Amino acid sequence: MVMKLPEHVKFIIEKLQEAGFEGYAVGGCVRDTLLQRVPQDWDITTSAYPEDVKEIFGRTIDTGIEHGTVTVMLDKKGYEVTTYRIDGEYEDARHPKEVTYTDNLLEDLKRRDFTINAMAYNEQRGLVDAFDGAGDLKRGIIRCVGEPKERFGEDALRMLRAVRFAAQLGFDIEEETAEAIQELAPMLKKVSAERIQVELVKLLTSVHPEEMRTVYATGIADVVLPEFSVMMRTPQNNPHHCYTVGEHTIEVLKGVETDKVLRLAALFHDVAKPDCRSTDEDGIDHFYEHPQVGAKKTKTILRRLKFDNATIDMVCRLVAIHDINPALTPESVRKAIQKAGLECYPVIFELKKADILAQSDYQRKEKLEALDGYHKIYDKIIKDADCLTLKDLALNGRDLIELGVKPGPQIGNILAKLLDVVIEEPEKNTKEYLTGYTLKNLFI
């Protein structure tokens, strides 16, 4: 089998070989190339020790030298070059206590997580595939290298990675591997929130976010996202719904683009329904105020998972407004935009549409027509450049000071009142009108 290696990768491997060492492209880059995908990164494994690599190449960075990794810089791009190694005892279910270098490529490949990631290649020897990773690629299987319980016992995050790879590649998890995940899922408690977050986002933004169902079925959700497990078990006995909260959520995930914020908003838009569920005398479930409660709950979850503040803010805002349906008038829609924040538009329409399509057929046509009307009014508001924010007001704080307003909180209060005026009647957003309105009504 012949693979086309990038020139920099060929150069690094050839330089290692010229110095008397072995060198191979390894791992995900080999997997992706066999799948005819463009690898994001090219990693190289070698029999050379880190000090040898540093001596061979002019510019290197000690990115992970304690584990045998040196980054070789070529034309301002970095390539990780890692010495063949055997991992020592794993004390924290995540990192080996120590590593031992080896000159045997097979020993290095044996320590890797899945067969599809345990292949190596160079032009001299061709594909090295001791565990039939290429066969598993053809079969569409995620399978551990060797004994699954050993691999997961070494690094518990591999269990979530298995599901993430299944989601990204559209593969199934091999039976023995899946059984080991179900048994060992509680070990994920030892993994940092930051690492969980990375894998969860990759899964959610994949082409198969429905693999969240596997996250639940294997018991992973019970550990890393227990709120989702509760959602999967919560029914919705209501004419508007035909799924549990969790299954509805999965359908919404499938219905929105692969944007991180949008997929997270889809995941959490109904997170508070289990908390807000009530059943009336006719046996119909209701979920009053679940968007508002859900926004608060989402904030707590995203903070727990160590998301950045900007992501938390946007996701929570979308969750809070996902069920708002303003009257189909320009004034009502302007007020909705102002209250939610212009940043939530037009993305909220995609979330709302996916939400509707993931419900039952009951009143679906009417809901979609109303959403279309909402969207069209929004489009016209944007086209007409209606004032929606304080910065778009024809009068600003400096103008108010010139009119005699003392600097301080009163300026903000007056501007907020003026914004209310032009939200109702956009044509009044002129400096002349707002000046007169201020002098007449705001006690200057």
Side-chain angles (χ1 to χ4, degrees):
M1 176 178 287
V2 178
M3 287 172 48
K4 184 173 176 58
L5 299 177
E7 288 304 313
H8 282 169
V9 177
K10 285 177 61 177
F11 173 79
I12 292 171
I13 291 173
E14 288 170 0
K15 289 284 285 184
L16 289 167
Q17 291 171 336
E18 288 171 7
F21 302 104
E22 296 177 4
Y24 293 85
V26 70
C29 59
V30 178
R31 175 198 71 226
D32 289 344
T33 301
L34 291 177
L35 288 171
Q36 298 185 321
R37 299 182 175 203
V38 178
Q40 292 184 344
D41 300 295
W42 285 84
D43 294 329
I44 293 136
T45 189
T46 180
S47 58
Y49 282 19
E51 54 266 31
D52 298 319
V53 176
K54 294 175 71 170
E55 187 174 333
I56 293 167
F57 297 97
R59 189 176 171 210
T60 63
I61 302 172
D62 293 352
T63 46
I65 199 162
E66 69 276 9
H67 293 116
T69 300
V70 174
T71 296
V72 174
M73 300 300 298
L74 296 175
D75 295 336
K76 298 182 179 180
K77 183 167 183 173
Y79 298 86
E80 289 192 353
V81 180
T82 304
T83 303
Y84 300 161
R85 73 186 204 201
I86 300 171
D87 292 340
E89 183 182 356
Y90 285 74
E91 293 187 326
D92 61 355
R94 182 74 188 99
H95 302 100
K97 182 179 179 181
E98 59 184 5
V99 299
T100 304
Y101 297 144
T102 176
D103 59 2
N104 188 325
L105 172 63
L106 183 59
E107 288 297 320
D108 181 84
L109 297 177
K110 280 165 63 175
R111 69 177 178 82
R112 296 174 183 265
D113 52 7
F114 308 112
T115 61
I116 62 172
N117 297 330
M119 295 178 283
Y121 179 88
N122 67 23
E123 292 183 343
Q124 200 173 66
R125 186 173 172 185
L127 183 68
V128 179
D129 181 17
F131 309 103
D132 197 24
D136 284 343
L137 286 179
K138 292 178 181 177
R139 288 184 286 269
I141 293 294
I142 304 297
R143 178 168 61 91
C144 281
V145 173
E147 170 55 48
K149 290 181 184 179
E150 289 184 17
R151 297 292 81 76
F152 295 143
E154 293 163 350
D155 182 353
L157 187 64
R158 287 171 171 169
M159 291 182 275
L160 184 53
R161 280 169 57 84
V163 187
R164 186 259 288 183
F165 280 121
Q168 289 181 321
L169 302 175
F171 284 12
D172 294 320
I173 300 175
E174 179 262 342
E175 185 177 354
E176 188 179 355
T177 300
E179 289 174 355
I181 293 174
Q182 288 182 303
E183 182 177 336
L184 301 178
M187 290 180 62
L188 279 160
K189 291 177 181 177
K190 298 181 180 181
V191 179
S192 72
E194 290 87 349
R195 300 307 298 269
I196 296 293
Q197 181 215 122
V198 169
E199 295 299 326
L200 187 61
V201 168
K202 287 180 178 179
L203 191 162
L204 288 172
T205 56
S206 72
V207 293
H208 294 286
E210 65 271 18
E211 284 296 332
M212 283 299 298
R213 193 177 287 115
T214 304
V215 173
Y216 167 68
T218 55
I220 291 174
D222 289 344
V223 182
V224 305
L225 198 61
E227 297 85 355
F228 185 72
S229 293
V230 177
M231 291 162 68
M232 290 293 288
R233 294 191 291 265
T234 301
Q236 297 189 94
N237 300 313
N238 185 291
H240 293 278
H241 289 282
C242 55
Y243 299 114
T244 65
V245 175
E247 289 293 341
H248 163 77
T249 295
I250 288 171
E251 293 302 311
V252 178
L253 281 168
K254 290 161 58 179
V256 299
E257 294 295 320
T258 57
D259 172 78
K260 179 177 80 169
V261 167
L262 193 49
R263 285 279 172 93
L264 285 168
L267 177 64
F268 294 117
H269 78 285
D270 281 349
V271 68
K273 275 194 169 180
D275 306 293
C276 299
R277 181 182 174 221
S278 61
T279 306
D280 66 22
E281 57 188 15
D282 296 320
I284 296 175
D285 290 339
H286 302 279
F287 306 93
Y288 299 119
E289 301 199 2
H290 77 273
Q292 296 78 22
V293 178
K296 294 177 182 178
K297 191 165 187 174
T298 298
K299 187 174 185 177
T300 299
I301 296 168
L302 294 181
R303 280 183 169 173
R304 185 181 77 217
L305 291 172
K306 307 299 183 183
F307 278 89
D308 61 278
N309 289 333
T311 297
I312 293 173
D313 178 64
M314 266 309 294
V315 173
C316 291
R317 286 161 69 181
L318 290 171
V319 170
I321 68 169
H322 82 271
D323 213 24
I324 291 176
N325 300 297
L328 298 182
T329 66
E331 180 184 342
S332 294
V333 173
R334 281 193 296 269
K335 287 181 178 179
I337 297 169
Q338 177 201 7
K339 185 175 181 180
L342 193 56
E343 301 83 1
C344 294
Y345 291 81
V347 66
I348 186 61
F349 297 121
E350 185 174 349
L351 179 59
K352 287 178 70 65
K353 183 175 182 179
D355 192 12
I356 293 168
L357 294 176
Q359 297 170 10
S360 69
D361 291 339
Y362 180 67
Q363 295 185 348
R364 178 181 289 176
K365 181 181 177 183
E366 294 86 344
K367 294 173 190 175
L368 291 173
E369 287 175 350
L371 180 60
D372 185 56
Y374 184 4
H375 201 160
K376 285 179 178 176
I377 293 172
Y378 161 81
D379 287 340
K380 188 173 188 307
I381 288 169
I382 298 302
K383 182 180 178 182
D384 293 344
D386 289 354
C387 177
L388 298 166
T389 65
L390 290 175
K391 67 182 179 64
D392 295 326
L393 274 175
L395 206 67
N396 59 34
R398 191 178 299 108
D399 296 322
L400 291 179
I401 292 173
E402 290 177 359
L403 290 174
V405 182
K406 292 182 180 180
Q410 189 180 2
I411 287 180
N413 294 334
I414 292 173
L415 290 174
K417 290 178 181 178
L418 294 178
L419 182 59
D420 288 340
V421 170
V422 300
I423 288 290
E424 291 186 10
E425 300 178 80
E427 67 275 7
K428 291 182 176 178
N429 189 33
T430 68
K431 189 169 185 178
E432 181 182 7
Y433 179 85
L434 295 179
T435 298
Y437 184 91
T438 302
L439 292 171
K440 181 180 179 181
N441 297 288
L442 301 177
F443 312 107
I444 293 177

